[in-house]
Amino acid sequence: MTQLLLSWIESANGADTPFPLNNLPYGVFSVGEGDLRCGVAIGDRIVDATGLEAAGVLRADADADVLDAPFWNDFMALGPAAWDHYRAGLTALLSAEASEADQDQVVTYSVPMAEATLHLPFEVTEYTDFYAGRHHAVNVGTMFRGAENALPPNWLHIPIGYNGRASSVVVSGTDIRRPWGQLKGPDDEAPRWAPSARFDIELEMGAIVGQASSGPIGVDTADGNIFGYVLLNDWSARDIQAWEYQPLGPFQAKATATTISPWIVTKAALEPFRCDTPARVHELLPHLRDTSPMLYDIELAVTLTPQDGAVSTISRTNYNEMYYSAAQQLAHHTTSGCPMRIGDLLGSGTISGPEQGNRGSLLELSWGGKEPFALADGRVRSFIEDGDTLTLQGAAHGDGYRIGFGACTGTVLPAHDDPFKG
Ligand code: CA
């Protein structure tokens, strides 16, 4: 395992900073009323990548200004060789070995993170969400269909997914308004129109496709096409979902919002933390078999903070619990010939572990609302209440350093008045 790489920016050298020189995640920031700019997190600062490019200090492309944009999509389009070359250039500028002249340039083109507002780091061109965590699928299947029929017969052979809405994706810190929807009445009663009373989170990782493809691609090519990862919260209205999901899957239950963390942690930064997917129950068909470690050891946690309340950690789990890697999901996604675009976002599916405290949704934590769980301050929860702030955290842990993602957080606001009432 690699060691902490030292930077001349002191705040990047602690064991606790999420953003050491080993990380260098990509985001989009603004200061005050200023323009949105591409930035790189290092310690407690943001390096202005747009400014460094314009000044000719560090360019990703010799001819085109790919970072003169409020997103990293044009940079992704340059491809993996350029990604590596740029990262090497950044590392040299920020390393403890950097010349004083280089350090002066970076000081000119950097801002304190505390003064910046963070925005979506890339233009989300498409969004697909999978259902690839086995513990989650077994838990939900058991609640809805009984233990005997928990996993549908296809589940152990393909990563199940649905096409989501790119327009629903928002950056961490965006408030989430409780949705209205059509909810099933008890037994034979007619459905009713009401605010969701079973509003929930799903703890997921999001993989960002950094290279376009126009036909079926194998798992190795898919792994190479992934640019990086973010934390992802797939806000879910369980009561809307329960009524609408048959036969075509989730629709309005998942369309309110999807929150992602503000920094793209690159595949390069996660390289030391690759791990294998869990043992297969059935051998996959050859085109979906992983040929090397393509999952990652990333520790994850969920906190819930009631309005005017204390923070409670309600779940801890790890991305390595997933049954399918993002590379397998992307490969499967293309089997029909489905074109993939730069900026395509692939949600992993809810990440739950084997124990009660490892569950990645309130639906599972409260077992469908039947077993409300306690918060630190003595309150209990089954589903989200108005004013609750839900936060996902994630980090890969190296030798004396960590690769952090930055928080993926959102506060749930009360539903608006009935939008269809005079
Ligand atoms: Ca989901």
Side-chain angles (χ1 to χ4, degrees):
M1 188 161 282
T2 47
Q3 309 276 316
L4 171 70
L5 301 175
L6 290 176
S7 171
W8 55 267
I9 296 178
E10 277 304 320
S11 60
N13 294 335
D16 292 330
T17 176
F19 308 121
L21 183 56
N22 307 59
N23 194 346
L24 300 180
Y26 300 142
V28 168
F29 74 101
S30 62
V31 177
E33 299 300 306
D35 294 341
L36 275 61
R37 307 174 77 80
C38 292
V40 181
I42 176 85
D44 61 5
R45 298 190 72 79
I46 299 174
V47 175
D48 177 357
T50 302
L52 286 180
E53 176 182 67
V57 178
L58 183 64
R59 299 187 60 81
D61 184 275
D63 305 316
D65 284 348
V66 294
L67 299 176
D68 186 19
F71 44 73
W72 283 80
N73 299 54
D74 294 345
F75 174 86
M76 293 186 222
L78 298 176
W83 304 346
D84 291 346
H85 185 73
Y86 185 77
R87 181 175 170 83
L90 263 181
T91 303
L93 275 180
L94 295 168
S95 144
E97 317 292 316
S99 70
E100 273 191 37
D102 279 350
Q103 295 184 25
D104 288 346
Q105 294 272 26
V106 172
V107 169
T108 305
Y109 293 102
S110 71
V111 300
M113 194 176 288
E115 292 177 11
T117 301
L118 298 174
H119 306 270
L120 277 179
F122 64 104
E123 188 174 39
V124 183
T125 52
E126 310 265 0
Y127 166 51
T128 300
D129 195 29
F130 287 89
Y131 184 60
R134 192 172 168 201
H135 300 291
H136 172 73
V138 167
N139 286 340
V140 173
T142 301
M143 273 183 260
F144 289 164
R145 290 182 296 275
E148 299 298 303
N149 302 304
L151 280 187
N154 53 9
W155 200 94
L156 293 165
H157 299 278
I158 48 172
I160 306 296
Y162 65 93
N163 289 309
R165 295 285 302 174
S167 61
S168 76
V169 180
V170 297
V171 73
S172 176
T174 306
D175 288 338
I176 308 299
R177 182 71 64 179
R178 181 182 298 275
W180 284 74
Q182 190 177 123
L183 317 180
K184 183 180 181 300
D187 299 323
D188 294 334
E189 284 179 36
R192 53 203 176 85
W193 170 245
S196 171
R198 291 162 72 94
F199 200 50
D200 197 359
I201 59 155
E202 291 193 340
L203 165 61
E204 306 192 23
M205 297 290 301
I208 300 154
V209 177
Q211 289 284 276
S213 57
S214 56
I217 59 173
V219 173
D220 289 324
T221 302
D223 189 56
N225 285 2
I226 293 171
F227 179 66
Y229 291 83
V230 289
L231 304 174
L232 185 151
N233 181 356
D234 173 22
W235 300 94
S236 300
R238 301 301 180 191
D239 34 12
I240 297 173
Q241 187 178 359
W243 176 234
E244 74 176 3
Y245 88 104
Q246 298 188 72
L248 285 183
F251 188 47
Q252 292 307 290
K254 306 282 193 169
T256 300
T258 305
T259 303
I260 62 171
S261 52
W263 297 105
I264 304 170
V265 175
T266 63
K267 199 172 51 183
L270 293 171
E271 205 56 41
F273 307 100
R274 281 182 180 265
C275 63
D276 288 315
T277 47
R280 303 291 96 180
V281 176
H282 303 297
E283 189 167 38
L284 297 172
L285 289 178
H287 68 281
L288 287 180
R289 287 179 200 157
D290 40 15
T291 54
S292 61
M294 291 181 185
L295 202 56
Y296 297 92
D297 180 355
I298 298 169
E299 292 181 17
L300 301 166
V302 182
T303 63
L304 189 159
T305 311
Q307 198 167 23
D308 308 319
V311 181
S312 294
T313 300
I314 58 173
S315 180
R316 291 183 189 279
T317 183
N318 194 300
Y319 184 44
N320 66 16
E321 296 283 358
M322 298 308 290
Y323 195 75
Y324 296 99
S325 66
Q328 288 173 310
Q329 293 174 329
L330 175 54
H332 175 63
H333 207 316
T334 67
T335 48
S336 60
C338 178
M340 302 303 295
R341 301 168 68 189
I342 292 170
D344 240 307
L345 175 64
L346 308 183
S348 61
T350 309
I351 307 166
S352 293
E355 308 294 334
Q356 201 275 346
N358 310 142
R359 295 172 182 166
S361 67
L362 274 61
L363 175 73
E364 294 164 89
L365 285 163
S366 71
W367 208 252
K370 291 188 181 124
E371 299 169 14
F373 56 91
L375 303 179
D377 60 9
R379 294 181 230 197
V380 295
R381 282 290 181 279
S382 290
F383 293 97
I384 298 170
E385 296 192 3
D386 291 341
D388 284 353
T389 298
L390 278 298
T391 304
L392 317 183
Q393 305 272 4
H397 292 264
D399 184 3
Y401 74 100
R402 56 203 288 265
I403 300 292
F405 282 77
C408 176
T409 191
T411 299
V412 174
L413 304 181
H416 281 305
D417 293 340
D418 186 346
F420 299 124
K421 200 167 180 180

